[in-house]
């Protein structure tokens, strides 16, 4: 780990930028930057930057782009063309910034502008789209670039407003382009922005037109195009928006919200979003939206198929009851309060409306992981937010892992804003104080078992100071010693994103030991989506590394983040069963599924986005492995006067009050006889 120094460049410009944003550039490949809408509402804090090597464009991106790519895989790209074929994207920055916060890299035509007063609009042309693509291709291959292996240059959306929509259409034949979003625009019978009505004959991918009602001057052109194109097409009309859309509303308003759903479907593969457009299911959107689609096949219109449970029978692969006291069957549910605040409803497997944590406990979860940031804005994931969840966990007798982030934004590892001017020694004191406040609060529950000192700290935390090993270790020890002073029984965890590279892992923890770091356990992230290994090979390698790390460092090893695709529930169940078995055989201390309750804006959760019930994937935590196909029919429980007491069990030997759907073990007992047999409930 080497120290990385942020240097100021283009001093005159930076003075103006700093005066407005109170921030310095993220690194020396960026000349200027600013925040919009406090970084957006998505999972990743977004920033707006001017790249030195692309001065005629503005980039909207996650601040820690490599972190976003570790969770999402290489990020999809949106290239944006402006209304009036303008050379400025500032009028759309709230929407484009919001898209970046959800894990996209957005390239807007036009030079960076701190405020609208800087605008010096020389216009633009459609060839600038190609310039942007060529730059992205180079950046993806450049080892020293922020974008190195972090963007997917073959997964691009083109979009634009009005004349900018025509510029996007002008580039629709590019093979890298996977979808178009045409906003308040359409060709109809006219030519502009480098495109003609015939250009649409080269369209090779899905397209959506978004208009603002009959008062939108582009309404008829969009309608004409929609009825003419030969590829999959959608037309979404917000009847009261007009030609100006909702771009300048917070987060881009309704246009930004619906556009994100389309992009997540076509660029990220979020299959649950298909029903928004194909049904259409517009709950949560303005009642003034109307959506039509064309050219989707019958298979594509069967949008719920990926989330329909197949008929299975079940085998027990391990005894949950025996492992419960020695293994953490865990779930990170840090976003749960946000979900309930949005009136999300949850049901258990039997279809009974119920809170998430009790459902998780029914399904074998015995531990929860909760994140705490320093001064987040909005206040999601602050101490008060997380303590409410911890109290519920306490009442359910669930153990707790506290995931302390020493930053204001999840996944950032940059110093909190209130600590930016602090010296190294002040930062050590800040770490101790923040740690003490959170740990004392959580320790009062009586269920605190683990405390993570930072989140995915492959390169330290409290950047830039904390990138240097010596300083990073001072921060670790300040937290560790504080935790031990409060409760010596609580175990500290150092968490890294790497889980496959054995040499990197041993070198990393060897370096910390040699530098005098103190900690109790090792936490690993295991993300199928971003691994170069196939899922089965991935878990075998991770299990091998668990053994290696345990033997080398003499410390417990946990998987603190993992997940599997929510549209492959049977596959997910089998993969999780295999993973849990391998981990227990390797002597791991636990596994935590990352945000199983997320279903609408995440494709690696466990809850079914259609039924709002947990999928069969969650049965893995009970040791139940599903296999496609039903058992031969088994007679139902027959009344028999010899038997006065009937008990029901899962195939794994867990007693249940009533038979569940699937295979049940029935034990009947009378005065002189006991009978045990299987019953299949369909």
């Amino acid at each position: 780990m080497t120290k990385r120094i942020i240097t100021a460049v283009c001093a005159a410009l930076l003075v103006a930028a700093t005066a407005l944003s109170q921030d310095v550039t993220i690194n020396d490949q960026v000349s200027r930057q600013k925040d919009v809408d406090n970084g957006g509402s998505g999972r990743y804090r977004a920033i707006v930057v001017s790249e030195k090597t692309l001065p005629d464009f503005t980039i909207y991106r996650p601040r820690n782009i490599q972190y976003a790519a570790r969770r999402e895989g290489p990020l999809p790209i949106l290239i944006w063309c402006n209304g009036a074929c303008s050379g400025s994207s500032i009028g759309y920055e709230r929407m484009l910034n919001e898209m970046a916060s959800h894990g996209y890299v957005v390239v807007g035509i036009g030079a960076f502008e701190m405020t609208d007063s800087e605008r010096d609009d020389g216009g633009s042309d459609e060839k600038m789209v190609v310039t942007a693509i060529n730059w992205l291709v180079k950046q993806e291959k450049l080892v020293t670039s922020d974008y190195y292996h972090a963007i997917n240059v073959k997964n691009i959306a083109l979009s634009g407003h009005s004349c900018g929509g025509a510029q996007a259409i002008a580039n629709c034949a590019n093979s890298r382009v996977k979808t178009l979003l045409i906003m308040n625009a359409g060709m109809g019978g006219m030519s502009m922005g480098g495109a003609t009505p015939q250009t649409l004959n080269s369209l090779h991918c899905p397209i959506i037109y978004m208009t603002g009602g009959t008062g939108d001057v582009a309404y008829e052109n969009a309608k004409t195009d929609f009825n003419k194109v030969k590829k999959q097409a959608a037309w979404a009309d917000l009847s009261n928006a007009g030609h100006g859309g909702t771009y300048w509303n917070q987060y881009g308003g309704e246009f930004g919200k619906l556009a994100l759903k389309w992009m997540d479907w076509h660029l990220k593969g979020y299959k649950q979003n298909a029903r928004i457009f194909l049904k259409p299911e517009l709950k949560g959107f303005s009642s003034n939206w109307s959506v039509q689609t064309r050219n989707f096949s019958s298979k594509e219109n069967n949008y719920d198929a990926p989330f329909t449970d197949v008929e299975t029978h079940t085998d027990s692969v391990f005894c949950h009851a025996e492992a419960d006291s020695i293994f953490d069957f865990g779930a990170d549910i840090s976003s749960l309060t946000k979900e309930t605040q949005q009136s999300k409803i949850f049901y258990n497997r039997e279809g009974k409306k119920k809170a998430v944590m009790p459902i998780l406990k029914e399904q074998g979860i015995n531990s929860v992981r909760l994140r705490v940031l320093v001064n987040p804005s909005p206040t999601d994931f602050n101490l008060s937010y997380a303590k409410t969840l911890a109290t519920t966990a306490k009442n359910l007798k669930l153990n707790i892992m506290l995931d302390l982030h020493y930053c204001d934004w999840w996944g950032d590892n940059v110093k909190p804003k209130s600590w930016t001017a602090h010296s190294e020694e002040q930062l050590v004191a800040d770490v101790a104080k923040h740690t003490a406040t959170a740990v004392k609060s959580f320790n009062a529950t009586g269920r605190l078992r683990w405390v993570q000192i930072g989140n995915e700290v492959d390169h330290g935390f409290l950047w830039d100071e904390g990138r240097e090993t010596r300083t990073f270790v001072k921060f670790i020890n300040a937290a560790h010693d504080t935790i031990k002073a409060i409760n010596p029984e609580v175990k500290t965890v150092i968490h890294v994103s790497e889980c496959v590279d054995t040499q990197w892992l041993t070198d990393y923890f060897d370096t910390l030991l040699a530098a005098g770091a103190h900690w109790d356990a090792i936490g690993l992230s295991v993300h199928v989506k971003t691994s170069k290994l196939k899922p089965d090979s991935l878990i075998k390698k991770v299990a091998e590394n668990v053994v290696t790390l345990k033997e080398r460092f003499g410390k417990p090893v946990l998987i603190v983040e993992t997940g599997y695709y929510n549209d492959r529930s049977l596959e997910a169940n089998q993969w999780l069963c295999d993973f849990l078995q391998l981990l227990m055989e390797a002597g791991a201390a636990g596994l935590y599924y990352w945000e199983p309750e997320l279903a609408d804006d995440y494709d690696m959760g466990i809850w079914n986005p259609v039924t709002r019930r947990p999928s069969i994937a969650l049965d893995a935590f009970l040791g139940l492995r599903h296999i496609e196909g039903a058992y031969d029919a088994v007679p139902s429980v027959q009344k028999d006067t010899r038997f006065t007491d009937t008990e029901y069990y899962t195939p794994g030997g867990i007693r249940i009050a009533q038979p569940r759907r699937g295979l049940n073990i029935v034990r009947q007992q009378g005065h002189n006889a006991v009978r045990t047999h299987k019953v299949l409930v369909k």
Side-chain angles (χ1 to χ4, degrees), residues 375-397:
N375 289 307
S377 179
T379 56
D380 301 332
F381 314 129
N382 69 8
L383 180 56
S384 175
Y385 171 105
K387 182 61 185 294
T388 301
L389 291 169
T391 300
T392 303
K394 168 193 171 183
N395 294 336
L396 289 167
K397 295 183 171 56

Side-chain angles (χ1 to χ4, degrees), residues 160-202:
H161 175 231
S162 194
C163 181
Q167 290 179 324
I169 289 171
N171 289 276
C172 70
N174 192 303
S175 62
R176 297 179 185 272
V177 175
K178 303 308 177 191
T179 189
L180 277 76
L181 299 91
I182 307 303
M183 314 282 213
N184 308 101
M187 302 312 300
M190 64 188 298
S191 299
M192 64 175 176
T196 69
Q198 289 69 43
T199 305
L200 284 166
N201 294 332
S202 300

Side-chain angles (χ1 to χ4, degrees), residues 123-143:
S124 62
D125 67 63
E126 71 283 358
K127 297 182 182 66
M128 295 181 77
V129 170
V130 178
T131 300
I133 292 173
N134 290 340
W135 181 84
L136 290 161
V137 169
K138 289 180 181 178
Q139 291 295 306
E140 194 276 335
K141 295 178 180 177
L142 186 63
V143 176

Side-chain angles (χ1 to χ4, degrees), residues 286-599:
S286 167
S287 60
N288 292 306
W289 277 115
S290 63
V291 176
Q292 304 174 45
T293 56
R294 292 183 63 244
N295 303 330
F296 286 88
S297 68
S298 57
K299 180 179 179 180
E300 290 156 343
N301 276 294
N302 189 13
Y303 38 78
D304 288 344
F307 306 103
T308 302
D309 284 339
V310 297
E311 190 171 22
T312 65
H313 64 272
T314 310
D315 286 342
S316 177
V317 295
F318 60 83
C319 180
H320 179 277
E322 291 179 2
D324 189 58
S325 62
I326 59 172
F327 191 88
D328 282 14
F329 296 97
D332 187 315
I333 52 169
S334 298
S335 296
L336 178 55
T337 299
K338 289 181 68 175
E339 292 289 286
T340 54
Q341 286 171 344
Q342 295 171 21
S343 301
K344 301 287 177 66
I345 297 173
F346 299 89
Y347 301 92
N348 66 9
R349 286 288 296 281
E350 285 71 43
K352 181 180 179 181
K353 184 178 177 182
K354 209 167 187 178
V356 166
M357 268 197 261
I359 297 173
L360 290 173
K361 186 169 183 179
E362 286 177 1
Q363 294 286 149
I365 296 296
N366 62 16
S367 305
V368 295
R369 178 177 183 251
L370 303 170
R371 86 177 64 102
V372 171
L373 309 184
V374 178
N375 289 307
S377 179
T379 56
D380 301 332
F381 314 129
N382 69 8
L383 180 56
S384 175
Y385 171 105
K387 182 61 185 294
T388 301
L389 291 169
T391 300
T392 303
K394 168 193 171 183
N395 294 336
L396 289 167
K397 295 183 171 56
L398 297 172
N399 292 324
I400 298 171
M401 175 184 288
L402 171 59
D403 180 11
L404 283 177
H405 294 231
Y406 298 91
C407 55
D408 290 338
W409 197 281
W410 171 67
D412 205 82
N413 280 332
V414 177
K415 281 180 292 188
K417 189 174 182 179
S418 60
W419 301 1
T420 51
H422 290 189
S423 67
E424 182 179 304
E425 292 310 312
Q426 285 176 308
L427 289 172
V428 171
D430 292 332
V431 168
K433 182 179 179 181
H434 175 60
T435 302
T437 301
V439 172
K440 285 177 182 177
S441 178
F442 271 63
N443 193 53
T445 66
R447 306 298 300 183
L448 183 62
R449 185 173 180 184
W450 311 93
V451 178
Q452 268 189 222
I453 301 174
N455 189 76
E456 292 197 348
V457 292
D458 304 47
H459 305 289
F461 59 81
L462 295 183
W463 295 345
D464 264 340
E465 288 85 346
R467 286 185 186 271
E468 185 180 12
T469 301
R470 178 190 62 81
T471 315
F472 178 36
V473 168
K474 289 178 73 172
F475 298 154
I476 290 173
N477 289 347
H480 175 86
D481 293 347
T482 299
I483 294 162
K484 292 300 183 180
I486 296 168
N487 185 346
E489 299 302 314
V490 172
K491 304 297 183 185
T492 59
V493 182
I494 299 297
H495 168 211
V496 294
S497 67
E498 182 56 62
C499 64
V500 171
D501 190 334
T502 311
Q503 188 66 55
W504 187 94
L505 286 165
T506 54
D507 286 351
Y508 178 91
F509 289 106
D510 279 342
T511 300
L512 291 186
L513 274 182
H518 301 144
W519 80 97
D520 299 322
I522 293 170
L524 307 176
S525 290
V526 180
H527 293 300
V528 171
K529 185 186 289 189
T530 58
S531 176
K532 294 179 181 178
L533 297 178
K534 293 181 178 179
D536 289 345
S537 299
L538 172 64
I539 59 178
K540 290 175 183 175
K541 182 60 180 175
V542 170
E544 291 172 6
N545 283 340
V546 168
V547 173
T548 298
L549 293 170
K550 275 195 66 184
E551 291 178 350
R552 189 180 186 95
F553 299 103
K555 300 177 185 295
V557 182
L558 305 102
I559 307 307
V560 297
E561 294 183 12
T562 197
Y564 208 87
Y565 302 97
N566 68 350
D567 61 332
R568 309 180 199 173
S569 58
L570 177 59
E571 192 177 300
N573 167 265
Q574 295 172 350
W575 182 83
L576 275 170
C577 275
D578 292 345
F579 198 9
L580 287 164
Q581 276 187 284
L582 287 169
L583 289 173
M584 285 186 271
E585 290 168 3
L591 174 146
Y592 288 75
Y593 199 102
W594 197 85
E595 302 284 17
E597 81 283 4
L598 297 184

Side-chain angles (χ1 to χ4, degrees), residues 36-38 40-41 89-99 238 240-242 244-258 260 286 288-289:
V36 171
D37 282 343
N38 196 38
S41 73
S89 66
I90 198 167
Y92 311 95
E93 66 180 4
R94 302 188 82 173
M95 179 179 74
L96 304 181
N97 180 80
E98 176 68 5
M99 291 171 171
L238 185 62
N240 60 344
T246 64
Y247 311 110
W248 197 245
N249 294 351
Q250 186 180 40
Y251 309 141
E254 286 284 319
F255 270 59
K257 187 176 172 183
L258 193 65
L260 263 172
S286 167
N288 292 306
W289 277 115

Side-chain angles (χ1 to χ4, degrees), residues 16-30:
T18 304
L20 289 162
S21 69
Q22 298 300 310
D23 202 0
V24 292
T25 52
I26 187 74
N27 57 39
D28 58 9
Q29 80 178 62
V30 170

Side-chain angles (χ1 to χ4, degrees), residues 9-19 31-33 50 112 114 118:
V9 294
C10 300
L13 295 177
L14 187 58
V15 168
T18 304
S31 58
R32 301 179 75 189
Q33 75 177 59
S50 175
F112 176 95
M114 188 64 71
E118 288 188 19

